[in-house]
Amino acid sequence: MTFTIRNGNKINKQEYGDGEMRARLERERETRRESIIEATEQLLNEKTFESITMDDIAMRSDFAKASIYQYFKNKEELLIKVFSRILEIKCRLIKEKCLSQADPVQAIRNYIRLEFEFIRRYPWGPRVAATFPFIDYQEVNYLFALYEQKKKLIAAIIQRGQTGGIFVKADLDVFTNMIISAGVGFVNYFSTHMSSDLQSPEIEMFISTIIKGITKGEQ
Amino acid sequence: MTFTIRNGNKINKQEYGDGEMRARLERERETRRESIIEATEQLLNEKTFESITMDDIAMRSDFAKASIYQYFKNKEELLIKVFSRILEIKCRLIKEKCLSQADPVQAIRNYIRLEFEFIRRYPWGPRVAATFPFIDYQEVNYLFALYEQKKKLIAAIIQRGQTGGIFVKADLDVFTNMIISAGVGFVNYFSTHMSSDLQSPEIEMFISTIIKGITKGEQ
Amino acid sequence: MTFTIRNGNKINKQEYGDGEMRARLERERETRRESIIEATEQLLNEKTFESITMDDIAMRSDFAKASIYQYFKNKEELLIKVFSRILEIKCRLIKEKCLSQADPVQAIRNYIRLEFEFIRRYPWGPRVAATFPFIDYQEVNYLFALYEQKKKLIAAIIQRGQTGGIFVKADLDVFTNMIISAGVGFVNYFSTHMSSDLQSPEIEMFISTIIKGITKGEQ
Amino acid sequence: MTFTIRNGNKINKQEYGDGEMRARLERERETRRESIIEATEQLLNEKTFESITMDDIAMRSDFAKASIYQYFKNKEELLIKVFSRILEIKCRLIKEKCLSQADPVQAIRNYIRLEFEFIRRYPWGPRVAATFPFIDYQEVNYLFALYEQKKKLIAAIIQRGQTGGIFVKADLDVFTNMIISAGVGFVNYFSTHMSSDLQSPEIEMFISTIIKGITKGEQ
DNA sequence: AATGAATGAGAGTTCATTCAT
DNA sequence: TATGAATGAACTCTCATTCAT
């Protein structure tokens, strides 16, 4: 199974039947926000968030430095936006590719694979998340909400597996935390320290091990 | 099982028969180096290495800023020293606490627990590792050697388990990579995003899941 | 004979038919560059370039220290700009005031006087030239070219004097080097160690001595 | 004529018949002062005085940095000592090599040659003199006295030449200032900007020009 | 006397942010 | 809205000098 991660938000060009000035301006504004975010994402592939300067972002996004502040309150808010956009996409894809799966085993498989897709698309994710100054900004609440949403989606999958007698019995919350931590943790570490190749045999071995570990009886 | 991580390098007291000035000065100097390293470790609990200033370190270690430069060439050299000291300790402890175990299952359990002990002692480890400028410094070669050493130790444990018919068959290298990534990854992620409590039930569930996944037949 | 040294580069006012924003900004920018250069020149009257700090320059030019870096890459680049501007002016004036003279004796007189004018206007010239880190910057090539140009101008004067049977016979290159070294050297030393008064009798005595020394027969 | 500039002050080793502790200690102290001065002179061949650090001097002279302050009040005092030692030697040599000459023309020749010898031995002289902070230190008075002494020596030579009807008539002070400025100035400039080769034909041409310029009638 | 250690003061430079147009 | 310009605050690192032994 291979996903292609598409940007679900970006509005590039779209015809609108009705000439509503206000809406068009709004849309253009959003487009410019997006291009700044994209520039930032590019730069995050190259260096630390802390070491990226507003000049870098301005240069890459073809805006004047001062203009960036018309779209984002400050550097940190920009980072949060970058991050939450990715989480939104991730949540949507979990719904589409995993929750829709009738078979809980397959759903879990897909979920772990999905995390891999993301790490390939945004390899700087763990690095940036690791150093993110999560506490200081209120927009972060939205980010936390997205984390919770994701957790609920995984929990739903697991519950279905337990109800169906396929997964082992365990406190649902504990089970969910464990699966997410194991999945995301493995993916982060493996791709950072060993290989980001989606075909690496370690990945399949990890998935099998986890599946075997959480299913009742033999697979 | 609980480990207590001791500093394996620090020279606190040493007997010396004769008042050899030179040697005493040398030791005092080392003590001061240590206290700077310790101040840095403390600060790493609180913020990014990049965001820690030499003023911070000076303040915390009760030296004047300029004095730090008598002990470390620059900020990066200081970080490398901090980091490699920890890796040395980790390697030593793996040998002592895991490799010495006759039972492979227990050895693997101990290893994952050990990673937890470290994350509690040095919670900033993953964060710092994630942003470390690994390429630019030659001392880094030593770190890589330590990583390899660690891998060999884990491989030895796994091989014993396979030879003894306890662990599933799989390419040794793949198996080792998988175990390390799963273990370290889970530990990093769980303690960063969820809880660093050693008693969290998720930890036991993770360990059990992995053990069940890699052992033949029923547990 | 008295010269008034005018700044040949500075753009103070310029007519421009149409309100071209871009051009105006460009000009304003240049004006600000000039005022930083001028502040630096002032300070060079008071102390070594090495001992002048960016804070000094900022203070004197009424900019914030950080602003200076919008106009010059660093302290050295600023010095080079200061320096090459002066050399350009000097070359231009030699052409105007000396080469244009029909009488070689008068031309040489004027040249030595000209060096005096410069030393009065930029007394720090020799001092700065003496400590300038000439090797490290590529713009320095331009300076060397100017030095060569000046030498050619003086050589032309001397050759005319030799052809006309007025100056003694001697290798043209040797003669030129001697005249420049004697002239500039005397001027530098005398004004630094004794007096920078243009009316000092030593100056006339020096000029007479040199003229007598290089002319055939009696003057 | 070629001089060899010898260090006239340095006491290296000397046997003393009588065991006067005090005097020996004094001598040893002086020896150490000398070796610091010598280290500084070496370094001045390599870089600006301002850019030479006390660490450099300590390293080169094989003292601990703090020890230097036992011999010199501060960096500037050290420089003044370096300088005045050279001037002392110069004054002595003028006496020996020039003032002793019966022929005033030959004496002037020797003097200019002597300046060349010095510039070869201490090429950094003009550079350092150019940037020296002459005003702030009282030891500088001694330096000025030496300058005056030198001037008197040259004046004596010139006066003899005038009395003997060999040199042109002119105010003695003006004449002396002119000769010193022309001589030292030429030497400084020529050796800095063109060549420090003692055999360069420009040197002989300069000397001849000056001699011709200041002598009555034909040479 | 000699020196290892310590340091206040300051250097040049950078950068997120704001101002003025 | 867009942006060139301006800047305060902070950074790492250096150095002449002093202290304590």
Side-chain angles (χ1 to χ4, degrees):
Chain A
M1 184 199 70
T2 306
F3 308 115
T4 307
I5 299 168
R6 266 171 286 98
N7 177 336
N9 283 28
K10 183 155 180 188
I11 297 157
N12 278 315
K13 274 185 197 158
Q14 257 182 51
E15 316 301 281
Y16 280 78
D18 193 28
E20 288 174 20
M21 195 56 140
R22 178 63 73 96
R24 212 198 71 217
L25 288 176
E26 198 57 47
R27 249 174 302 118
E28 282 174 355
R29 187 176 165 78
E30 189 54 33
T31 306
R32 287 186 227 110
R33 278 176 74 92
E34 293 287 341
S35 69
I36 293 167
I37 289 180
E38 228 136 76
T40 309
E41 289 183 356
Q42 274 178 39
L43 288 162
L44 281 167
N45 281 313
E46 298 160 24
K47 37 182 174 161
T48 316
F49 179 68
E50 291 195 62
S51 74
I52 294 171
T53 72
M54 292 307 264
D55 271 307
D56 290 336
I57 296 171
M59 206 102 72
R60 190 67 66 100
S61 63
D62 264 324
F63 280 91
K65 184 164 49 163
S67 304
I68 306 215
Y69 288 84
Q70 305 251 344
Y71 296 95
F72 300 93
K73 215 171 69 219
N74 55 35
K75 205 186 165 194
E76 273 73 26
E77 209 221 57
L78 169 54
L79 180 61
I80 292 178
K81 285 288 150 55
V82 165
F83 243 68
S84 51
R85 205 179 65 136
I86 294 173
L87 258 185
E88 284 167 3
I89 301 174
K90 198 187 268 187
C91 276
R92 183 166 50 72
L93 282 179
I94 293 177
K95 270 183 239 167
E96 282 176 31
K97 308 288 180 182
C98 310
L99 206 59
S100 64
Q101 272 287 339
D103 178 11
V105 167
Q106 194 57 37
I108 291 292
R109 280 189 172 277
N110 284 3
Y111 165 64
I112 296 173
R113 287 256 167 224
L114 183 66
E115 292 285 1
F116 256 107
E117 307 280 349
F118 267 85
I119 213 89
R120 282 195 66 209
R121 178 82 177 77
Y122 309 105
W124 39 265
R127 201 183 62 211
V128 177
T131 57
F132 196 83
F134 278 118
I135 309 161
D136 303 353
Y137 299 91
Q138 70 168 133
E139 288 88 346
V140 150
N141 291 331
Y142 177 54
L143 219 47
F144 284 153
L146 286 171
Y147 273 116
E148 280 309 306
Q149 185 186 342
K150 174 182 157 186
K151 201 165 145 181
K152 286 215 180 85
L153 297 174
I154 305 301
I157 293 169
I158 291 170
Q159 193 164 33
R160 204 189 302 156
Q162 288 184 313
T163 312
I166 296 171
F167 290 164
V168 295
K169 281 193 184 348
D171 177 79
L172 182 59
D173 204 48
V174 169
F175 201 150
T176 308
N177 284 340
M178 191 277 282
I179 283 294
I180 289 176
S181 298
V184 181
F186 173 82
V187 162
N188 286 358
Y189 190 91
F190 184 73
S191 65
T192 305
H193 292 75
M194 298 182 172
S195 156
S196 58
D197 183 359
L198 284 171
Q199 305 310 321
S200 300
E202 283 89 349
I203 298 174
E204 185 46 40
M205 186 179 185
F206 172 74
I207 294 177
S208 306
T209 302
I210 290 292
I211 298 288
K212 182 177 169 197
I214 63 173
T215 48
K216 279 181 168 167
E218 56 282 355
Q219 287 298 313
Chain B
M1 184 196 70
T2 305
F3 308 115
T4 307
I5 298 166
R6 266 171 286 98
N7 178 336
N9 283 27
K10 185 158 181 185
I11 298 160
N12 281 313
K13 277 181 196 160
Q14 230 178 73
E15 319 299 279
Y16 53 104
D18 195 27
E20 290 169 18
M21 193 55 142
R22 178 60 73 95
R24 211 197 73 215
L25 286 178
E26 201 58 49
R27 248 173 305 116
E28 282 173 354
R29 190 176 167 77
E30 189 56 31
T31 306
R32 286 187 293 258
R33 275 178 74 93
E34 293 286 341
S35 71
I36 293 168
I37 288 180
E38 233 137 71
T40 309
E41 289 184 356
Q42 273 179 38
L43 287 163
L44 282 167
N45 282 314
E46 298 161 26
K47 36 182 174 161
T48 315
F49 179 70
E50 290 193 65
S51 74
I52 293 172
T53 72
M54 292 308 264
D55 270 310
D56 291 335
I57 296 171
M59 208 102 73
R60 190 65 66 97
S61 62
D62 262 323
F63 281 92
K65 184 166 47 166
S67 303
I68 311 263
Y69 288 87
Q70 294 217 334
Y71 298 93
F72 298 94
K73 217 172 67 226
N74 53 36
K75 206 185 164 194
E76 271 73 27
E77 210 222 56
L78 169 55
L79 178 61
I80 291 180
K81 286 289 151 55
V82 166
F83 215 67
S84 58
R85 209 179 61 138
I86 292 170
L87 263 182
E88 284 166 4
I89 301 174
K90 195 188 268 189
C91 269
R92 184 167 50 73
L93 282 179
I94 291 178
K95 268 184 240 166
E96 282 177 30
K97 307 289 179 182
C98 309
L99 205 57
S100 64
Q101 272 288 338
D103 177 13
V105 167
Q106 194 57 36
I108 292 293
R109 279 189 172 279
N110 283 4
Y111 164 64
I112 296 172
R113 287 259 168 221
L114 183 66
E115 293 284 2
F116 255 105
E117 305 281 348
F118 265 86
I119 214 89
R120 281 194 68 210
R121 178 81 178 79
Y122 308 106
W124 40 266
R127 201 180 62 209
V128 175
T131 56
F132 195 83
F134 277 118
I135 309 162
D136 301 355
Y137 300 91
Q138 69 170 136
E139 287 91 344
V140 151
N141 292 330
Y142 178 54
L143 295 194
F144 284 152
L146 286 173
Y147 273 118
E148 279 309 305
Q149 186 187 342
K150 174 182 156 185
K151 203 166 145 180
K152 287 217 179 81
L153 298 174
I154 305 302
I157 294 170
I158 290 170
Q159 193 164 33
R160 204 188 305 154
Q162 289 184 311
T163 312
I166 297 171
F167 291 164
V168 295
K169 281 193 184 347
D171 177 78
L172 182 59
D173 203 50
V174 169
F175 202 149
T176 308
N177 285 339
M178 191 277 282
I179 283 292
I180 289 176
S181 298
V184 181
F186 174 81
V187 162
N188 286 356
Y189 190 90
F190 184 73
S191 63
T192 305
H193 291 75
M194 299 183 171
S195 156
S196 58
D197 183 359
L198 284 172
Q199 304 311 322
S200 300
E202 284 88 348
I203 298 173
E204 185 47 41
M205 186 178 186
F206 171 75
I207 294 177
S208 306
T209 302
I210 291 293
I211 298 288
K212 181 176 171 198
I214 62 172
T215 48
K216 278 181 166 169
E218 56 281 357
Q219 287 298 310
Chain C
M1 182 198 71
T2 306
F3 308 116
T4 308
I5 298 166
R6 266 173 287 97
N7 178 335
N9 282 28
K10 185 157 180 187
I11 297 160
N12 281 313
K13 277 183 194 159
Q14 231 181 71
E15 319 299 280
Y16 53 102
D18 195 27
E20 289 170 20
M21 192 56 141
R22 177 61 72 97
R24 212 197 72 215
L25 287 178
E26 200 58 48
R27 248 173 306 117
E28 283 173 355
R29 190 175 168 75
E30 189 55 32
T31 305
R32 286 186 295 258
R33 275 177 76 93
E34 294 285 341
S35 71
I36 293 167
I37 288 181
E38 233 137 72
T40 309
E41 289 183 356
Q42 273 179 39
L43 287 162
L44 281 167
N45 282 313
E46 298 160 26
K47 37 182 175 162
T48 316
F49 179 69
E50 289 194 66
S51 75
I52 293 172
T53 71
M54 292 308 264
D55 270 309
D56 290 336
I57 297 171
M59 208 101 73
R60 189 66 66 99
S61 63
D62 263 324
F63 281 92
K65 185 163 51 161
S67 303
I68 311 263
Y69 288 86
Q70 294 217 333
Y71 297 93
F72 299 93
K73 216 172 69 226
N74 54 35
K75 206 186 164 194
E76 272 74 27
E77 209 221 56
L78 169 55
L79 178 61
I80 291 180
K81 287 288 150 56
V82 166
F83 215 68
S84 58
R85 210 179 59 138
I86 292 169
L87 263 182
E88 285 165 4
I89 301 175
K90 195 187 268 189
C91 269
R92 184 166 49 72
L93 282 179
I94 292 178
K95 269 183 239 166
E96 282 176 29
K97 307 289 179 182
C98 310
L99 206 57
S100 63
Q101 272 288 338
D103 177 13
V105 167
Q106 195 56 40
I108 292 292
R109 278 189 174 278
N110 285 3
Y111 165 63
I112 297 172
R113 287 256 168 224
L114 183 66
E115 292 285 1
F116 256 105
E117 305 280 348
F118 264 85
I119 213 90
R120 282 194 68 210
R121 177 83 178 79
Y122 308 107
W124 40 265
R127 203 181 61 211
V128 175
T131 56
F132 195 84
F134 277 119
I135 309 161
D136 301 354
Y137 299 91
Q138 69 169 137
E139 287 91 343
V140 152
N141 293 330
Y142 179 54
L143 295 193
F144 284 152
L146 287 172
Y147 273 117
E148 280 308 306
Q149 187 187 340
K150 174 181 157 187
K151 203 166 145 179
K152 287 216 179 84
L153 298 175
I154 305 302
I157 293 169
I158 291 170
Q159 192 163 33
R160 206 188 302 155
Q162 290 184 312
T163 312
I166 297 169
F167 290 163
V168 296
K169 283 195 181 348
D171 178 78
L172 182 59
D173 204 49
V174 169
F175 202 149
T176 308
N177 285 339
M178 191 277 281
I179 283 293
I180 290 176
S181 298
V184 181
F186 174 81
V187 162
N188 286 357
Y189 190 90
F190 184 72
S191 63
T192 306
H193 290 75
M194 299 184 173
S195 158
S196 58
D197 183 358
L198 283 172
Q199 304 310 321
S200 299
E202 284 89 349
I203 298 174
E204 184 48 41
M205 186 180 186
F206 172 74
I207 294 178
S208 305
T209 303
I210 291 291
I211 298 288
K212 181 176 170 199
I214 62 172
T215 48
K216 276 181 168 169
E218 55 282 356
Q219 286 298 312
Chain D
M1 186 199 68
T2 305
F3 309 114
T4 307
I5 299 167
R6 265 170 289 95
N7 179 336
N9 283 29
K10 184 157 183 187
I11 297 158
N12 278 315
K13 273 182 198 162
Q14 257 180 52
E15 315 300 278
Y16 281 78
D18 193 28
E20 288 174 19
M21 194 56 140
R22 177 62 73 96
R24 213 198 71 216
L25 287 177
E26 198 57 46
R27 250 176 302 119
E28 281 173 355
R29 187 177 165 78
E30 190 55 32
T31 306
R32 287 188 226 109
R33 277 175 75 91
E34 293 286 341
S35 70
I36 293 167
I37 289 180
E38 228 137 77
T40 310
E41 289 182 357
Q42 273 179 39
L43 287 162
L44 281 167
N45 282 313
E46 297 161 26
K47 36 183 175 161
T48 314
F49 179 68
E50 291 195 61
S51 75
I52 293 172
T53 71
M54 292 306 264
D55 271 308
D56 290 335
I57 296 171
M59 206 101 72
R60 190 67 66 101
S61 63
D62 264 324
F63 280 90
K65 184 164 47 163
S67 303
I68 305 214
Y69 288 84
Q70 306 249 343
Y71 297 95
F72 299 94
K73 216 172 68 219
N74 54 36
K75 205 188 165 193
E76 274 73 26
E77 209 221 56
L78 168 54
L79 180 61
I80 291 177
K81 286 289 152 53
V82 166
F83 244 68
S84 51
R85 206 179 64 137
I86 292 173
L87 258 185
E88 284 165 5
I89 301 175
K90 197 187 268 186
C91 277
R92 184 167 49 72
L93 282 178
I94 291 176
K95 269 182 242 169
E96 283 176 31
K97 308 287 178 184
C98 310
L99 207 57
S100 64
Q101 272 287 338
D103 177 12
V105 167
Q106 194 57 38
I108 292 294
R109 279 191 173 278
N110 283 4
Y111 165 63
I112 297 173
R113 287 258 168 222
L114 184 66
E115 292 286 1
F116 255 106
E117 306 279 349
F118 267 86
I119 212 89
R120 282 194 68 208
R121 178 79 178 79
Y122 308 106
W124 39 264
R127 200 180 65 210
V128 177
T131 56
F132 195 83
F134 278 117
I135 310 161
D136 303 352
Y137 299 91
Q138 68 169 135
E139 288 89 346
V140 149
N141 292 331
Y142 178 54
L143 220 45
F144 285 153
L146 287 170
Y147 272 117
E148 281 308 307
Q149 187 187 340
K150 173 181 158 187
K151 203 166 144 180
K152 287 215 179 83
L153 298 173
I154 305 301
I157 294 170
I158 290 170
Q159 192 164 33
R160 203 188 306 157
Q162 288 184 312
T163 310
I166 297 171
F167 290 165
V168 294
K169 281 193 184 345
D171 177 79
L172 182 59
D173 203 50
V174 169
F175 201 149
T176 309
N177 284 340
M178 191 278 281
I179 283 294
I180 290 176
S181 299
V184 181
F186 173 82
V187 162
N188 286 357
Y189 189 90
F190 185 73
S191 65
T192 307
H193 291 75
M194 299 184 171
S195 157
S196 58
D197 183 358
L198 284 172
Q199 305 310 321
S200 300
E202 283 89 349
I203 298 174
E204 185 48 39
M205 185 179 187
F206 172 74
I207 294 177
S208 306
T209 302
I210 291 291
I211 298 289
K212 181 177 172 196
I214 63 173
T215 50
K216 278 180 168 170
E218 55 282 357
Q219 288 298 311

